[in-house]
Amino acid sequence: MSKRHLFNSADGLVDKALRGIVAYNPSLRLDEVNRVVVDGSRDSSSSSSCTVSLISGGGSGHEPAWAGYVGSNMLAAAVQGDVFASPSTRQIMAAVDAVPGREGVILVVTNYTGDCLHFGLANERANSGHGRCRILICGDDVSVGRRRSALVGRRGLAGQVAVLKVMGAAAGAGSSLDDVYDLGVAVSTQVVSMAATLDHCHVPGRTGHGPLAEDEVEIGTGPHNEPGFKKLSPVPEPAELVRQLLRHMLDDKDDDRAYVRFVPGDETVLVVNNFGGMSPLEMGALVDEVLQQLTGEWEMEEPVRVYAGTLETSLNAPAFSLSVVNIAAAARNCNRYSVDDIKAFFDAKTNTCWEAVAGSQAGHGTPRRRRRREGQLVKPAPAPPKSVNPGRDLGVDAAVLDRMLRGACASLVEAEPDLTRWDTVMGDGDCGQTLKSGAAAMLAALDRGLAKSGSVGEVLVELEDVAEGKMGGTLGGILCIFFVALRSAVEEEMGRGSSASSSSSPAAVWASALSTALDSLRRYTPAKVGDRTIMDTLIPFSDAMKASGFDDGVRAAVKGAEATRTMKPKLGRASYVGARDDDDGHEMSPDPGAWAAMLVVRALQRGFQGSV
């Protein structure tokens, strides 16, 4: 876990955060003394005071919960405690007084002891003061089964945010206190959730919880560093981790955890929550994996709504939770609202943080249908095949060509760890993996018989496609331009017919074409020898090969790549990261692009000579 924070103490942190939250949402008001955030359009001083006021809250550290959900069609107010600590009854009563609602107030909280006690006492006091108040305690975590939770019920996870959205939209539509409350009960009892964490979070200024081992993941964890019910080691592949979570959530044969029954055809909502430390890239991949397993292994209907992002965090925890809401069952248990009504409540627009995860999923018409995934995942039309003109092609011995190419690809795959390490220090760390991906694609093409005809033109066409389709980043762009120019130059050399090139050796054709291709590449990059780039290998290789042959070209390439160890980078990201002003003349790691190019030409030489 990371123990580094911008604010190294929790003292005053919640107050500053709340002032910041209301600063970028001018419709909100903040009672600083009681840490109550109020929707300014619905407080007791407003002429548009709502019929039913929804109030939630809890400990801080779960942002955007709860203050981030104050606004239209969600909460009328939120109450924030200290980090991971319930707000006091006095704070909660300040929220009730601020947004009394014409019909009354509903307090919605997650099932944690402090929250239940303080919100429960506030509920009693509000009702004793002749107001109308209800309390709904939400528990959706299935990791704590019935046998262990018989007295306290299920813990609360991010499934509660879905409940808040539905209830808030119903209240915003003018529904009665009883109808909004009954809807909340119906939905909250049809949610199953479970979390998994790669490590615990760290609270500023506090002693950290013991970290998980590098080869461990914990499932069934809570949002306050509560331990899960199982640690898995070694860490399973993502698909297997998701499989285990869904099995605990959905298996109706597990009597201890089958809190919600799913009937074939039931419409559901999927909520994937980031505890704060997961990258959006991984969250997207996680959503895809969950959807594949729900519709595949579980044979469920595709969820009618999918919400993913930071809904209820645990500070900086690298963790996530999955929630499945059975809205069909909720509608069956709620006489007032249909499945389409519940979907409409999910779709109702707000001016809160909910919109960051909601997107636009309603579709058009009635009933409200979300576009299915097969309608979203489109395949481009196949590109027309590139042909090679036999009259402008260079033919060589097929076995030698295959051996040379396989050796070059193998050298890149083997060197990937070093290339990645060097590029991480001096650049963005993608060089090794980019080249490994390209090499793997070329090896697959060779296995399909790419070199069996001995056509250099066909190999260069494949290299173009691999560089363009499989190799991103700066290096991928450079190589794609280079291979396109190289193929064009080879065709030009071979197409001169009866000129001197028709009797030239393949090495002479290569030397001339390589020089022409580098001239083309120079139109797109200012890199030259001495700039610590791939050109420190390619230019000496080309010049020496043109002057005195392939072997001298390889020697020049090796010398050029080695020379980059003492060069200060002058281009690209490496020019402003990873190198100091006093690095000139001091040996460093070589430039990974230059080194990779050297490995390739050296492997080509060995393959040509018959040893790989």
Side-chain angles (χ1 to χ4, degrees):
M1 93 188 76
S2 173
K3 296 182 180 180
R4 299 190 64 187
H5 301 279
L6 182 62
F7 295 88
N8 289 313
S9 170
D11 294 341
L13 181 57
V14 174
D15 300 308
K16 288 184 71 66
L18 290 175
R19 289 196 294 270
I21 288 171
V22 299
Y24 54 76
N25 190 341
S27 68
L28 302 180
R29 297 178 184 174
L30 172 63
D31 172 353
E32 290 190 71
V33 173
N34 292 297
R35 291 177 177 168
V36 175
V37 175
V38 176
D39 180 357
S41 68
R42 296 193 286 177
D43 65 16
S44 57
S45 65
S46 172
S47 60
S48 61
S49 178
C50 55
T51 301
V52 176
S53 288
L54 209 64
I55 298 174
S56 189
S60 296
H62 302 301
E63 289 69 24
W66 311 104
Y69 298 125
V70 176
S72 60
N73 289 319
M74 284 201 80
L75 298 180
V79 195
Q80 299 289 151
D82 285 323
V83 176
F84 294 170
S86 169
S88 69
T89 304
R90 179 176 296 176
Q91 290 176 261
I92 300 164
M93 287 305 301
V96 173
D97 292 339
V99 286
R102 291 196 297 273
E103 277 211 20
V105 171
I106 302 177
L107 306 176
V108 187
V109 294
T110 48
N111 187 22
Y112 291 97
T113 302
D115 293 328
C116 293
L117 290 174
H118 286 287
F119 278 88
L121 179 54
N123 178 58
E124 295 298 323
R125 287 187 173 173
N127 283 312
S128 67
H130 307 292
R132 293 191 67 196
C133 189
R134 302 282 185 87
I135 183 169
L136 175 61
I137 298 173
C138 297
D140 53 311
D141 185 3
V142 303
S143 65
V144 182
R146 288 183 173 86
R147 288 189 293 272
R148 291 176 55 196
S149 65
L151 296 178
V152 297
R154 295 193 281 164
R155 291 186 304 200
L157 288 175
Q160 186 212 0
V161 181
V163 179
L164 294 179
K165 180 61 182 70
V166 171
M167 294 179 70
S175 299
S176 69
L177 182 73
D178 289 340
D179 285 344
V180 175
Y181 180 80
D182 290 345
L183 175 64
V185 171
V187 175
S188 67
T189 55
Q190 296 299 321
V191 186
V192 287
S193 301
M194 198 166 182
T197 182
L198 300 173
D199 207 348
H200 298 127
C201 71
H202 182 260
V203 180
R206 296 185 191 173
T207 302
H209 284 67
L212 296 181
E214 286 291 326
D215 61 346
E216 283 184 333
V217 64
E218 194 165 14
I219 62 174
T221 46
H224 314 98
N225 280 334
E226 300 99 325
F229 75 91
K230 183 189 295 185
K231 290 181 179 179
L232 305 177
S233 181
V235 176
E237 290 296 315
E240 178 56 28
L241 178 59
V242 169
R243 187 170 292 113
Q244 292 202 33
L245 295 180
L246 291 180
R247 184 167 62 248
H248 291 304
M249 293 165 59
L250 304 176
D251 186 2
D252 59 8
K253 298 181 179 63
D254 183 352
D255 292 333
D256 197 35
R257 293 188 174 86
Y259 290 96
V260 176
R261 302 288 176 174
F262 294 87
V263 177
D266 276 350
E267 293 189 68
T268 61
V269 168
L270 172 65
V271 179
V272 183
N273 175 53
N274 183 349
F275 271 46
M278 301 290 293
S279 71
L281 180 68
E282 287 189 287
M283 287 295 293
L286 176 62
V287 170
D288 181 68
E289 181 61 40
V290 174
L291 288 172
Q292 286 189 37
Q293 293 194 24
L294 286 177
T295 57
E297 297 175 21
W298 288 95
E299 299 181 344
M300 294 175 65
E301 291 292 321
E302 186 176 306
V304 295
R305 300 291 184 270
V306 178
Y307 304 110
T310 50
L311 291 104
E312 180 186 345
T313 60
S314 180
L315 292 171
N316 60 353
F320 66 90
S321 65
L322 308 180
S323 301
V324 179
V325 188
N326 190 338
I327 61 172
R332 289 194 291 268
N333 295 336
C334 179
N335 296 326
R336 177 68 175 81
Y337 300 107
S338 67
V339 171
D340 284 337
D341 291 329
I342 295 174
K343 286 189 284 188
F345 292 146
F346 273 113
D347 297 335
K349 291 297 182 182
T350 82
N351 57 352
T352 74
C353 290
W354 171 264
E355 293 302 320
V357 303
S360 180
Q361 304 190 51
H364 301 285
T366 303
R368 306 170 73 91
R369 297 190 182 278
R370 177 180 180 273
R371 177 180 289 181
R372 298 184 66 85
R373 266 164 63 83
E374 60 261 29
Q376 292 182 286
L377 306 178
V378 297
K379 294 182 179 179
K386 298 177 183 177
S387 59
V388 176
N389 185 343
R392 297 165 65 89
D393 192 12
L394 175 62
V396 297
D397 183 277
V400 173
L401 180 61
D402 185 86
R403 186 171 64 235
M404 292 172 70
L405 292 171
R406 288 186 184 276
C409 292
S411 69
L412 292 177
V413 172
E414 182 180 0
E416 183 272 324
D418 286 337
L419 298 176
T420 297
R421 185 175 69 254
W422 297 336
D423 195 38
T424 300
V425 173
M426 300 297 289
D428 52 14
D430 67 337
C431 178
Q433 192 59 52
T434 295
L435 290 168
K436 182 180 178 181
S437 297
M442 282 300 295
L443 287 170
L446 290 169
D447 290 341
R448 295 193 300 269
L450 172 63
K452 65 181 180 181
S453 67
S455 167
V456 170
E458 291 180 4
V459 169
L460 290 174
V461 166
E462 186 68 25
L463 282 169
E464 288 177 32
D465 289 343
V466 167
E468 188 172 6
K470 303 290 185 182
M471 303 172 69
T474 301
L475 184 58
I478 287 174
L479 291 177
C480 190
I481 293 171
F482 176 69
F483 290 138
V484 170
L486 184 59
R487 179 167 71 96
S488 178
V490 168
E491 290 178 345
E492 184 177 346
E493 287 291 320
M494 297 303 297
R496 290 178 181 173
S498 59
S499 66
S501 67
S502 62
S503 59
S504 297
S505 68
V509 172
W510 270 115
S512 179
L514 185 61
S515 178
T516 301
L518 284 175
D519 287 341
S520 297
L521 185 57
R522 287 189 182 99
R523 293 200 294 267
Y524 302 96
T525 174
K528 58 186 183 300
V529 172
D531 288 341
R532 190 181 161 91
T533 70
I534 192 173
M535 302 297 267
D536 285 292
T537 295
L538 292 181
I539 292 175
F541 172 62
S542 174
D543 290 347
M545 184 174 178
K546 191 172 185 179
S548 51
F550 184 40
D551 291 341
D552 282 347
V554 174
R555 281 189 283 271
V558 173
K559 184 177 179 181
E562 288 284 0
T564 63
R565 292 182 183 274
T566 58
M567 294 178 186
K568 182 178 178 180
K570 299 176 182 177
L571 295 171
R573 192 170 307 180
S575 64
Y576 52 86
V577 298
R580 304 185 307 272
D581 290 339
D582 61 353
D583 277 338
D584 281 324
H586 292 78
E587 186 166 302
M588 302 176 289
S589 58
D591 176 72
W595 194 262
M598 179 272 291
L599 293 176
V600 167
V601 298
R602 194 166 63 182
L604 291 173
Q605 180 190 44
R606 290 171 178 167
F608 181 72
Q609 294 171 345
S611 61
V612 179

